[in-house]
Amino acid sequence: MANTKEIKGRIKSVEDTRKITNAMYMIASTKMRKAKAELDETRPYFEHLRREIQRIFCKAGDVKSRYFYSDKGEPPHKKGGSALLVVTADKGLAGAYNMNVIRIAEQILREKEDCRLFVVGEYGRQYFKTHGIPIEKSFLYTAQNPTMRRARIISHTFLEGYDSKELSDIHIVYTDFHNGLSSEALCERLLPFDRRDFQIDEGESLKTNFEFKPNAGVVLDSIMESYISGYIYSALVDSFCSEQNARMNAMSAANDNASDLLGVLNTEYNQIRQAAITQEITEISAGAKAQRAKRKRDAANCKEGQTLGRNH
């Protein structure tokens, strides 16, 4: 059974750990709020881009673009392999955040034979490297710092491979942050896009006439380059917010567990301390009783000796 010194050491260790988890919780909360604010500032621009794409399809429905499936559902080209962008974190301590993404990525890699793997995040890079899965390219310093500049770098890499027909389709696996309430790891096709995703609701109408120069296809392709960058940036920020939210939940659970453990340890410490005090009181009482008994025996022996002396 542990003594009070050992238990006090464990209590101090748990308290120190709880200070660390509290600090990590606050840091994750601050990072998440900052990232969401930056995304909210840029989101209107990309929503406007989406609106313009819808207008182009509405006014020039037969427009052809290398970034979209045809009206019959045929891909722009079938040459080249597939590309998979996997967005993980640079660190752990975020619950099942990283593994949820990696499981989906592994399933896709099993289904697609010719699939090039692109990774964002040190956790994913180390995981695939350890498991002998080749990585085409790893985008460093992006998971902890999702900016438009880094999103454009990733977008340029994919567009270069797609336009040269080295890649026929591109998918992205990331964690979607649903309005700050929940997170879900999912896989979405980045390229090519489906025209049906840009249809305008039947209740809406566009009365303004547009003139496209040199033609609607060139205008659409020009807009799509910026839209793809925004799409990737949104996925990076969603993943980053989901990571911080998962870390907050993990640290909150760690804090709760630490509090429960401290309650158990304090109870055990008090019980051992009380038992030690009771033992000391018992020993003192037994010692005092023994002393009284000794004094009585000594007094009795002294009295008996005096009686024998008088008799002689």
Side-chain angles (χ1 to χ4, degrees):
M1 187 175 184
N3 54 36
T4 55
K5 183 178 180 180
E6 293 175 349
I7 294 178
K8 286 181 69 175
R10 292 179 62 189
I11 290 175
K12 186 179 184 305
S13 177
V14 174
E15 289 176 344
D16 292 342
T17 303
R18 187 169 62 173
K19 290 178 182 178
I20 296 173
T21 56
N22 272 326
M24 293 180 67
Y25 179 91
M26 297 302 297
I27 293 171
S29 176
T30 302
K31 287 183 177 180
M32 184 179 69
R33 288 197 298 268
K34 181 180 178 182
K36 284 190 64 179
E38 292 177 354
L39 179 62
D40 291 339
E41 290 176 359
T42 58
R43 194 184 296 275
Y45 171 73
F46 295 105
E47 289 179 350
H48 185 71
L49 282 181
R50 182 180 181 84
R51 180 66 174 174
E52 294 306 316
I53 295 171
Q54 291 175 331
R55 290 183 178 183
I56 292 174
F57 280 122
C58 182
K59 293 299 181 180
D62 59 344
V63 61
K64 294 182 179 180
S65 173
R66 63 182 182 274
Y67 299 126
F68 288 87
Y69 282 95
S70 66
D71 293 334
K72 298 180 180 179
E74 297 177 353
H77 64 267
K78 298 180 180 180
K79 296 181 180 180
S82 300
L84 180 65
L85 176 63
V86 181
V87 182
T88 64
D90 284 335
K91 305 175 184 177
L93 297 177
Y97 166 78
N98 289 302
M99 290 308 303
N100 289 339
V101 172
I102 289 174
R103 289 192 189 98
I104 296 177
E106 288 180 325
Q107 181 179 356
I108 295 174
L109 291 173
R110 286 193 296 266
E111 295 173 354
K112 293 180 175 288
E113 295 182 358
D114 185 14
C115 186
R116 304 180 186 182
L117 181 62
F118 298 79
V119 179
V120 171
E122 185 65 17
Y123 190 100
R125 189 179 75 85
Q126 291 295 336
Y127 178 89
F128 291 118
K129 181 180 179 181
T130 303
H131 288 75
I133 301 175
I135 299 175
E136 183 75 15
K137 186 172 183 179
S138 178
F139 299 98
L140 303 177
Y141 313 115
T142 302
Q144 290 297 318
N145 186 24
T147 61
M148 269 303 304
R149 176 178 172 275
R150 298 188 183 279
R152 288 192 181 98
I153 292 173
I154 298 174
S155 174
H156 176 74
T157 300
F158 286 131
L159 288 176
E160 189 176 20
Y162 185 80
D163 292 338
S164 63
K165 297 185 179 181
E166 292 181 6
L167 300 175
S168 60
D169 61 273
I170 302 168
H171 289 76
I172 179 172
V173 180
Y174 71 102
T175 307
D176 190 18
F177 194 54
H178 297 297
N179 300 320
L181 299 177
S182 61
S183 300
E184 179 187 7
L186 47 83
C187 176
E188 292 187 352
R189 186 178 63 246
L190 180 60
L191 282 173
F193 289 97
D194 192 334
R195 294 170 183 262
R196 292 172 296 182
D197 295 335
F198 293 88
Q199 291 180 348
I200 295 178
D201 296 336
E202 295 180 358
E204 297 185 20
S205 60
L206 296 174
K207 299 180 180 180
T208 306
N209 292 322
F210 295 94
E211 184 177 353
F212 304 103
K213 291 184 178 180
N215 56 63
V218 174
V219 174
L220 180 61
D221 289 347
S222 177
I223 293 176
M224 289 307 301
E225 293 179 2
S226 295
Y227 182 78
I228 292 169
S229 298
Y231 192 102
I232 294 175
Y233 175 66
S234 177
L236 292 175
V237 176
D238 271 338
S239 295
F240 182 73
C241 291
S242 298
E243 175 197 348
Q244 303 308 321
N245 184 60
R247 184 165 289 113
M248 287 170 58
N249 293 334
M251 294 304 103
S252 178
N255 290 335
D256 294 340
N257 292 335
S259 298
D260 295 340
L261 183 57
L262 284 174
V264 174
L265 289 174
N266 283 321
T267 300
E268 186 178 355
Y269 174 79
N270 291 332
Q271 289 176 346
I272 295 176
R273 183 169 174 270
Q274 185 176 4
I277 293 173
T278 303
Q279 180 67 23
E280 290 178 1
I281 293 174
T282 302
E283 291 175 355
I284 292 172
S285 298
K289 184 177 180 180
Q291 288 293 328
R292 287 196 300 269
K294 184 177 181 300
R295 285 196 294 270
K296 288 181 179 181
R297 288 195 301 271
D298 291 343
N301 292 335
C302 182
K303 185 176 180 181
E304 183 179 354
Q306 291 174 359
T307 302
L308 292 174
R310 284 197 297 268
N311 293 333
H312 286 293

